Amino acid sequence: MSERFLLVKQSQPLHGTVELTGAKNAVLVIIASLLLAEGKSTLYSVPNSADVRCFIALMTELGALVHFDVKLKALTIDTTMVNSIEVSPEIMNKMRASILVMGPLLARFGKARVALPGGCLIGARPINYHLQGFRKLGVSLIEDKPFLSASISTDSSNPIHDRVILEYPSVGATENLLMYATLKPGETVIVNAALEPEVLDLIDILNKMGAKIYCEPGQLIRIIGVNKLNPVEHTVIPDRLEAGALLLAACITKGSVHLPNARADHMDLFLEKLREMGHEVYVGTHQTPLFPLLGISLKACQNPQGVSIKTGPYPGFPTDLQAPLMTAMALSKDISTVEETVFENRLMHVKELTKLGAQITVEGQKATIRGVEKLYGTELIATDIRASCGLALAGLIAIGETKIGGVHHWERGYDKLEEKLRFMGGNINLIEASNIDNLMLPNGELLKKRIA
Ligand code: EPZ
């Protein structure tokens, strides 16, 4: 049985200019949205990550014809022949985001049959906000485990004017309900909606397809139903989470990085926290008033200060950058604190960081980090996508070598991030060891000598 792990070795300061790929948390929902229009659409800047490949499998299972030009990062999807409305338990259990096809299937076919998504390590991850919203919009739901069958109740064809109130600005629930409402007769308003950059990218492509969606003050989204949506071409926004990982890699190794296509206006608070630590952060200027803040450059400071963060819905501090930032906090001066408010169990990387010598204590949803001078490489296990990033960054600075298991998380969330870190001078390799006894590393050394 082959063993797969990230092998990370203490590295020199990382330096480089890196192009970001499209955002994982935008591209998945955008692929689902293509079900709303019959015909061939093309997406550009699509990351070749495990989650994207899983979503391609899901679309193919539904009957779509898919071509992914990995080199050009271009994904073409023809939904003309889509003839199924069912998402299997296998696919749903592999990737929770599969629930995002429910809204488009209901809008296009009037029904959907989805396997109930499992929770995952960071929390129960229920879908009650999705279901409450669908019911409010006239969808009838019948549970026949492991499936949930949804259909538009017959008398809901006449225009209904609905207000759906989300108890929490759930990203997935906002996206699912929003996609359903694009083809629902009448007007739908989603109150307390999520407005993450990835949600706005979905709204952007839907409006290009012919939808009528308006964001209004007070986290309110208004959708006027239309009869038909059309296939389009669209470039996915750059991944702010990949940007965060690369910026923190430079911070932690006291190097520098330039991200020419990063959207600084998608990560204001994160960049402010890096500045608070003492790092020099420059952002691209507005070429025109509406032009986004394109480009981020960072020069790491030699003696970073501790900071405190509390995660929350956008534009608050992103929960998906909490684990990677905690690694930087572990090596900063004095005390830092992290309060996780989005997921109920997203501090499991603390145990792994303490194995490296980090000084972190947890009380409820709050972690207190006392900075240390050094970390020491050892064997670790990643517990979710973003924890895998935090641990990999720690390995770049830890003395000796760090071997990280649970690489499927890393591969789910990133498109060969280890290659970008290597390009910047990081000593990081994804190892597939059927028998590590005679496994050679790229430099010809025997691996077993290095991790004995
Ligand atoms: C999206 O997940 C992202 N995933 C997550 O990224 C991200 O962390 C999260 O939004 C928050 O920004 C994708 O876009 C594919 P939520 P989502 O619905 O939509 C609870 C990563 O690492 N909740 O905003 O599932 C939920 O359990 C991933 O890339 C309910 O209770 O997030 C969580 O505690 C991780 N009932 C909170 O709300 C519901 O019906 C926020 O969830 C829905 C959610």
Side-chain angles (χ1 to χ4, degrees):
M1 144 79 158
S2 82
E3 192 193 359
R4 305 180 71 244
F5 52 91
L6 274 171
L7 183 69
V8 193
K9 194 171 174 342
Q10 186 178 20
S11 305
Q12 293 302 313
L14 268 61
H15 297 281
T17 295
V18 183
E19 193 78 15
L20 300 171
T21 34
K24 164 185 98 76
N25 291 345
V27 74
L28 298 182
V29 66
I30 285 174
I31 292 172
S33 75
L34 300 181
L35 289 165
L36 291 163
E38 261 193 62
K40 188 188 282 190
S41 297
T42 301
L43 304 176
Y44 299 103
S45 191
V46 175
N48 181 20
S49 66
D51 266 8
V52 166
R53 294 193 295 274
C54 186
F55 226 104
I56 289 172
L58 167 55
M59 294 294 279
T60 311
E61 197 176 87
L62 293 173
L65 299 177
V66 182
H67 174 68
F68 188 13
D69 183 328
V70 173
K71 233 168 136 27
L72 292 177
K73 298 186 184 299
L75 179 65
T76 301
I77 300 187
D78 186 340
T79 61
T80 314
M81 308 303 285
V82 169
N83 54 10
S84 161
I85 53 107
E86 183 167 302
V87 180
S88 67
E90 294 69 37
I91 287 255
M92 188 62 86
N93 289 330
K94 256 176 97 176
M95 182 182 57
R96 183 184 186 285
S98 313
I99 192 68
L100 294 171
V101 299
M102 190 169 169
L105 289 175
L106 274 167
R108 181 161 161 193
F109 299 107
K111 49 184 193 290
R113 201 164 129 79
V114 295
L116 288 162
C120 65
L121 281 170
I122 59 178
R125 310 283 300 273
I127 55 169
N128 53 320
Y129 303 150
H130 300 239
L131 305 184
Q132 285 156 10
F134 281 125
R135 278 197 194 94
K136 172 75 185 167
L137 296 178
V139 174
S140 65
L141 300 164
I142 299 162
E143 202 172 320
D144 52 332
K145 283 198 191 303
F147 286 98
L148 178 74
S149 293
S151 59
I152 302 179
S153 26
T154 42
D155 61 355
S156 68
S157 51
N158 53 340
I160 336 170
H161 295 270
D162 273 321
R163 278 175 86 82
V164 176
I165 323 292
L166 287 180
E167 191 179 327
Y168 179 91
S170 152
V171 170
T174 302
E175 293 169 338
N176 230 340
L177 298 168
L178 167 66
M179 289 187 286
Y180 171 61
T182 54
L183 294 176
K184 181 177 86 57
E187 180 180 280
T188 304
V189 172
I190 302 175
V191 183
N192 196 23
L195 291 173
E196 267 68 0
E198 295 77 20
V199 177
L200 299 186
D201 201 24
L202 170 66
I203 292 172
D204 183 21
I205 188 174
L206 288 171
N207 283 340
K208 280 184 194 168
M209 291 162 82
K212 290 187 177 5
I213 306 169
Y214 310 93
C215 292
E216 297 182 354
Q219 276 186 258
L220 193 137
I221 299 178
R222 186 181 305 278
I223 306 108
I224 315 289
V226 296
N227 295 327
K228 188 172 181 299
L229 293 181
N230 306 302
V232 282
E233 299 203 349
H234 180 78
T235 300
V236 179
I237 55 168
D239 196 331
R240 58 189 169 121
L241 304 176
E242 185 185 48
L246 293 164
L247 289 161
L248 286 166
C251 292
I252 289 163
T253 61
K254 302 190 182 349
S256 65
V257 65
H258 176 51
L259 306 174
N261 71 325
R263 286 286 301 270
D265 54 311
H266 288 168
M267 26 196 339
D268 289 305
L269 186 50
F270 173 75
L271 297 178
E272 267 319 291
K273 288 296 173 183
L274 297 186
R275 291 188 181 103
E276 217 180 294
M277 295 178 86
H279 302 296
E280 292 175 42
V281 180
Y282 308 98
V283 299
T285 50
H286 282 279
Q287 271 91 335
T288 65
L290 296 178
F291 202 81
L293 275 174
L294 210 50
I296 301 174
S297 295
L298 176 138
K299 186 175 176 310
C301 78
Q302 297 306 306
N303 203 4
Q305 304 298 311
V307 286
S308 286
I309 63 158
K310 181 175 178 182
T311 66
Y314 188 84
F317 193 93
T319 175
D320 296 333
L321 285 173
Q322 177 256 104
L325 182 71
M326 192 183 284
T327 297
M329 290 166 157
L331 292 155
S332 302
K333 269 176 58 187
D334 312 323
I335 299 287
S336 299
T337 63
V338 167
E339 192 177 347
E340 173 57 55
T341 72
V342 177
F343 290 102
E344 71 266 26
N345 192 22
R346 207 175 197 181
L347 292 172
M348 286 168 297
H349 44 281
V350 167
K351 185 163 139 273
E352 299 305 307
L353 287 173
T354 53
K355 287 180 189 169
L356 294 164
Q359 302 285 315
I360 309 174
T361 54
V362 172
E363 217 169 299
Q365 290 303 315
K366 192 163 180 176
T368 303
I369 302 104
R370 176 180 300 282
V372 294
E373 290 287 313
K374 295 190 182 328
L375 296 176
Y376 299 85
T378 184
E379 293 205 18
L380 305 171
I381 187 84
T383 45
D384 77 76
I385 294 174
R386 310 304 168 183
S388 72
C389 177
L391 300 181
L393 297 183
L396 291 171
I397 195 69
I399 294 169
E401 272 143 9
T402 301
K403 181 181 168 195
I404 303 166
V407 285
H408 59 287
H409 292 300
W410 174 266
E411 292 175 305
R412 279 194 54 204
Y414 303 101
D415 179 0
K416 297 184 188 52
L417 181 57
E418 70 279 2
E419 289 182 4
K420 295 185 176 178
L421 292 169
R422 247 198 324 270
F423 170 76
M424 290 174 67
N427 189 327
I428 175 170
N429 288 285
L430 187 51
I431 306 285
E432 174 111 32
S434 44
N435 168 4
I436 61 169
D437 284 347
N438 53 14
L439 189 102
M440 291 290 208
L441 282 175
N443 66 2
E445 259 188 276
L446 265 178
L447 172 70
K448 69 174 180 182
K449 254 183 48 192
R450 298 268 298 278
I451 54 174

